[in-house]
Amino acid sequence: MPSSPAPPFVPSPRRERAPHPTGRPRRLGGWCARHSVGVLLLWAVALAGLQGLVHAYGGDYSDDFSLPGTQSQDGLDVLRAHAPSAGGHSAQIVLHDGEPLTDLSDQVSSAVTGLRKLPDVLVVQNPLPPPGSTPPPPPTGSPDTGPLSADGRTAYVTVRFDVRPSTLGAEYLHGVDRAVQPLRAAGVRVEYGGPLGELARPGAGDRTGEAIGFGVAFLVLLIGFGSLLAALLPLVTAVFCAVVGVALLGLLASVWTFATVSPTLATMIGTGVGIDYALFLVTRHRQNLLDGRDPATVAGNAAATSGRAVLLSGCTVVLALSGLWVCGIGFIGRLGLAAAVTVVTAVIGALTLVPALLGLIGRRIDRLRVRTPVAETDATPGGNTRGGSTHSGWHRYARRVERRPWWFLAGGVVVLAVLAFPLLSLRSGHIGDGADPESFTDRRAYDLMSSAFGPGSNGPLTLVIDRSDVPQADRPALASQAGKALTGVPDAATITPLTATSDGDVLTATAYSVAGPQDERTTALTDDLTDTVLPKAVEGYEARTYVTGTTAAQVDFLGVVAGRLPLVVAVVVALAFLVVLVVFRGPLVAVKAAVLGVLSISASYGVVVAVFQWGWGGPALGVPGDVPIESYVPVMMFAIVFGWGMDHEIFLLSRIHEAWLRTGDPRGSVAHALGITARVITCAALIMVSVFAAFLISDSIVVKMLGLGLAAGVLIDASVVRLLLVPAVMTLLGRAAWWTPRWLDRALPRPGTEGTAGRKP
C-alpha cells in the first residue's frame, strides 16, 4: 500500500541556496577593513564637525505635555485670546526667611522689577501687599493659598513667560540670579520652582552611571572574550557612535522640541545596542580568524553574515520605535525618534567602524589575552571544532531542554506570570518635583510651598468659563450660579472666587487640591471639575468650560497615552510579526515571537510597578516613597524592550534555521543553535543590563524608572524567554515551525539574512 503523503504543516527542509556573502555588506566591510585609517579619519571628522554644529546651532530640551485638541490646551488658548498675561507659561520663585518678608519690601520690589526686565517675561506678581495695607485673609476653612503665607515668612513670586521657560537655556538663569540677588544678600532663601527649577538642575548627573555601566560592560566583555583588545573594541565603537548620535539629536532639537530625558535615553539605547551589534561582528570575526583566514577578508565576511543580522535587527528596533508615532502624541513620538537616531548610528558604526578597527588590529586582536580565546562555531550539528558546541555546557543544557520541553515551557511561563502579577495594579501618573532629590532647587521650592500653603499649591488648576456667547444681561446670573457650584467640591482644598477678564468675556478661578500634583486625588479632582462640576456650573447657558494649567495638561496627557497604548502595542507587535515572517517564512515562528515578546514586557512592567509604585526596594534606589509610573514610560519600555527582544530573536532563530536547512533535524537544530549562541546572547544581555542598570543612580526618577525597566526587560528576555521558552517552544513545534503555505511563500519577499543560507558561507 502506498504511504500517505506528509501533512502540509510538516515540511522537509528547503535546501535553498541563499546569497553567498559577496553582496554589498561584504564589499563594504572588506573595503572598510582595507582602508581602516581613512574610515577612522572620516568618523573623527564627522564627530568634530557635528560637535561644532551643535555648539553653534544645537537646540535645548524641554518637557511639553500640551496636546492640541485637549480641553486643557483649548482653555489655555482661550486665556491667551482674552487675557494674554494670564495665558503664558508660569514658574514660581519661592522666598523664605526667619522674619516676616514684609520687612524686606524694598528688596522684594527690587527683585520683582529686575525680573520684569528679563526677556520673554509677560508679567511678574509681587507677593507683598502695597505699603500700608494688609493681605486679605484666606478663605474660611482652607489653607493659605495666597502668594504670602499667614506668618509672612514664605512667599512666592509668579513669573509668566511668553514661551516655555525650559526652552530658554541654562544661561537664562544668570539674569534671574542677578534679579534676586538683593534678596539673597539680605539672607532670604530663594528657590526656583517648576520650569525654572528644571533649568537649574545639574547637567551631568548621569555621567557617573554611564561610567559604571561601561566599567561593568568591559569586565563582562573581558571575561567573555578573554582578550583586552577584543573587549575594548565594542566599547570604543559603541561610545563613539553614541556620541555622534547624540550630536545629531542636538541638531534635531533646534527644529523640534524633545523631552529633557531624550539625550539620556538616546545615550542609554545607543550605547547598549552599539555594544550588542559590535559584539556579534567581533565574535564571528574571531572565529574566522581562528580558522586561519585573511583579516581583511574575514572582516568582510563578518559584515556579510553577522552584519546582515545587525542590519535587520537595527531595522526591527527602529520600526518598533517608529511605532510610537501611531499614538499621535508628538512628545512620545520624538522620544522614539531620539532613541532611533542612536540606533541608526550604532548600525552604521557596526557596518563600517567595526570592520575598520578589525582590519587595523588584524590578528593582534587576541594578543593581550587573559585566557585562551573561545569563539562560537558554525560546525554542523553533531560535529566539533575549536571552540565547538558539542561538548559545551550550553549544548548539554540545550539537550536537556530538548528532552523535557514541556517542563521548561511550564517553568518559564510560571516565572513570567509571577513577575507580571504587579502589573494588574499599575497606576500611571506624572512624577512631580516632590520626588526629586533635596539637592535640586525645585524640590526645595516644592517642600517650602507644601509647608506654607499646602501640597496642592504646587499644582494649581486654572478654571476657565468662556461666556462670550452669553448675553450681557445673563452674565451676572451665570457668575452667581457658577460660584455656588464651585463651593464644597470634593478633594479641593479651596477654589478662589471667580474673576472676569478685562473684556468681561471670560471668568477664571484657581482650584487647589488637598494633595500634591502626582496624587490620585488631584487627578480625580481634575476629572471631576472637567466632566461634572464646571459643566453643571454653566448649565442652561451657552458657555464653555475648561480646566487648564500644567497639572491639568499632565492629566489630559495621561488619559490620551493610556487610551492609545493598546494601539501602539498592536502596531509594534504586528510589525515584529511581519519582520519575523518575512525573514524566516514561518507563520508559527512569527506568532511565537510576538506572544513571547508580549509576555516578556509584561513581566518587566511588573518589576517596575513593584519597585516604584509598591515601594519594594524603592528607598534603596533613592526614590522617596511610592510614586506613580510616569505616563510615557510603559510606552517607551514596550517599544525598546520588544525591539531588543526581536533583535535577539532574529539572532537565535537565524542559527536554528541555518542548522535546519543543513540537516533537516528540527530538534537537533534547536540544541545546536542554542549551544553556539547562548554564550553570546548571555554576554550581550549582561552588558545591556549593566548599561541600563547603571542609570539607577541618576537623580531623575524617570531615568531610574527607564533604567530599571529596560534592565529587567533585557534580563527577563535573555534568561527566561531566550534560554527557556524559545528552545522549548521550537522543540515542541518541530518541523511545523518552518511550515509556510505555498501561496504565502511565493508572496513574501526574500531579504536574505544571516541564517537563511542553505550552506555555510
Side-chain angles (χ1 to χ4, degrees), residues 1 21 191 233 279 337 382 403 469 483 487 494 501 504 604 637 649 683 723:
M1 178 180 293
E191 305 291 354
L233 195 149
L279 176 63
L337 176 60
R403 290 192 294 270
D469 298 331
T487 303
T494 187
T501 56
S604 60
M637 278 182 56
E649 179 81 6
C683 184
L723 299 181

Side-chain angles (χ1 to χ4, degrees), residues 330-648:
F331 179 92
I332 292 178
R334 285 188 289 272
L335 278 175
L337 176 60
V341 167
T342 50
V343 172
V344 171
T345 57
V347 171
I348 296 174
L351 298 179
T352 59
L353 185 58
V354 171
L357 288 173
L358 291 175
L360 183 65
I361 296 172
R363 298 189 179 278
R364 297 185 299 274
I365 192 169
D366 286 324
R367 180 165 297 178
L368 302 176
R369 64 180 64 174
V370 295
R371 64 169 177 80
T372 303
V374 177
E376 67 172 289
T377 179
D378 290 324
T380 302
N384 189 26
T385 65
R386 186 184 341 184
S389 64
T390 301
H391 302 295
S392 69
W394 283 116
H395 190 81
R396 291 192 295 272
Y397 166 78
R399 287 297 184 184
R400 284 196 290 270
V401 176
E402 179 184 341
R403 290 192 294 270
R404 297 181 178 84
W406 282 109
W407 284 98
F408 284 89
L409 176 62
V413 171
V414 169
V415 171
L416 292 184
V418 171
L419 292 175
F421 179 76
L423 175 61
L424 299 176
S425 61
L426 183 145
R427 175 174 65 87
S428 297
H430 176 68
I431 299 175
D433 297 339
D436 287 334
E438 294 182 359
S439 59
F440 285 10
T441 183
D442 53 351
R443 166 61 188 276
R444 298 193 296 268
Y446 182 97
D447 291 342
L448 286 173
M449 292 282 287
S450 298
S451 177
F453 307 106
S457 62
N458 289 288
L461 302 168
T462 301
L463 313 183
V464 179
I465 299 177
D466 184 1
R467 56 179 185 177
S468 303
D469 298 331
V470 177
Q472 290 285 345
D474 294 337
R475 289 184 177 183
L478 169 61
S480 176
Q481 175 179 310
K484 293 178 181 177
L486 295 176
T487 303
V489 177
D491 293 322
T494 187
I495 299 178
T496 63
L498 288 165
T499 58
T501 56
S502 57
D503 60 8
D505 289 341
V506 175
L507 296 174
T508 65
T510 303
Y512 297 91
S513 173
V514 296
Q518 68 186 39
D519 195 278
E520 288 181 285
R521 290 170 292 178
T522 300
T523 302
L525 172 62
T526 306
D527 293 336
D528 190 28
L529 288 169
T530 303
D531 301 331
T532 306
V533 176
L534 284 178
K536 183 178 179 181
V538 299
E539 191 174 8
Y541 297 92
E542 293 295 327
R544 295 170 295 278
T545 61
Y546 311 93
V547 181
T548 188
T550 301
T551 301
Q554 291 167 353
V555 172
D556 284 346
F557 183 88
L558 170 62
V560 173
V561 171
R564 296 178 183 175
L565 177 59
L567 178 61
V568 174
V569 171
V571 169
V572 172
V573 171
L575 289 173
F577 172 85
L578 290 175
V579 168
V580 176
L581 180 63
V582 168
V583 173
F584 299 107
R585 324 185 75 75
L588 293 179
V589 171
V591 170
K592 180 268 306 174
V595 171
L596 294 186
V598 172
L599 292 176
S600 176
I601 190 65
S602 299
S604 60
Y605 281 164
V607 173
V608 172
V609 171
V611 171
F612 289 92
Q613 190 177 312
W614 289 5
W616 290 8
L621 300 178
V623 182
D626 304 341
V627 297
I629 306 304
E630 181 66 45
S631 54
Y632 60 85
V633 165
V635 181
M636 294 301 304
M637 278 182 56
F638 186 87
I640 296 170
V641 174
F642 197 89
W644 188 90
M646 289 300 103
D647 177 0
H648 281 247

Side-chain angles (χ1 to χ4, degrees), residues 213 216-217 220-221 272 275-277 279-280 394 644 647-648 651 677-693 710-720 722-723:
V216 176
V220 173
L221 287 168
I275 296 174
D276 209 21
Y277 296 159
L279 176 63
F280 292 159
W394 283 116
W644 188 90
D647 177 0
H648 281 247
F651 182 64
T677 61
R679 182 176 60 85
V680 180
I681 290 177
T682 303
C683 184
L686 289 175
I687 292 169
M688 296 280 278
V689 169
S690 65
V691 171
F692 292 152
L710 296 179
V714 169
L715 185 60
I716 292 168
D717 187 89
S719 57
V720 180
R722 222 53 56 198
L723 299 181

Side-chain angles (χ1 to χ4, degrees), residues 641-683:
V641 174
F642 197 89
W644 188 90
M646 289 300 103
D647 177 0
H648 281 247
E649 179 81 6
I650 290 170
F651 182 64
L652 176 57
L653 286 180
S654 66
R655 295 312 181 95
I656 298 175
H657 193 215
E658 183 178 355
W660 152 250
L661 292 176
R662 291 175 181 173
T663 66
D665 178 9
R667 287 176 170 253
S669 298
V670 174
H672 169 72
L674 186 61
I676 66 173
T677 61
R679 182 176 60 85
V680 180
I681 290 177
T682 303
C683 184

